[in-house]
Amino acid sequence: MSKSFDRLKSALKKLPGTGIKSAERMAMYLALENRADAAEIAESITAALGRITPCPECFGLSENGQPCEICSDKSRIPDIVCVVEKASDIAAIEKSGAWRGKYHVLGGKLSPIKKIGPDKLNLASLARRAEESGITEIILALSNDIEAEATCHYIQERVAAPRGIRLTRIGFGLPSGSQLGFADSGTIKSALESRKAF
Ligand SMILES: [Zn+2]
């Protein structure tokens, strides 16, 4: 047996949805069966970590501290922002092709139990954006649970209402507590189309 192999296996097990068996199979593949792929994967992870940064405007995926492709795209609706919990939600919505406006990644949801207060989320930047970019509508594309509910109320009271911004929430074709990343394109599309005033 090999200590390095065990370390690789433990590291791979940290990947989302990876159990001990898959981690072991992947470690075996990388360490013994296909070392060229392993080198390519290792190199691309290092390169990505060096370049990928959160977009300074929406906190989605970008590179080298520059605004992301969506924020830089002049053809997109500039004054309607879709608020999501995670950067991966943007990918899910983009894949559905249902949205041509901008995004804002909160980086989580308010939760007193997990000690996540407003200062831990990208809320101050949302308020700043709302003011500086003349946002007219904020679409809440958060999951359907108590933490999301609290987050939506906070945005209503502190960001939207004081500035007269229309606040809407995506329709719930999505099951309770579901995550956007697991919803299919059709569901995301109809959830956006059936958004209602919050
Ligand atoms: Zn951006």
Side-chain angles (χ1 to χ4, degrees), residues 55-62 67-72 103 129:
C55 168
E57 285 178 47
C58 72
F59 297 90
L61 211 52
S62 193
C68 71
E69 283 177 16
I70 295 170
C71 287
S72 316
Y103 293 95
R129 260 184 101 182

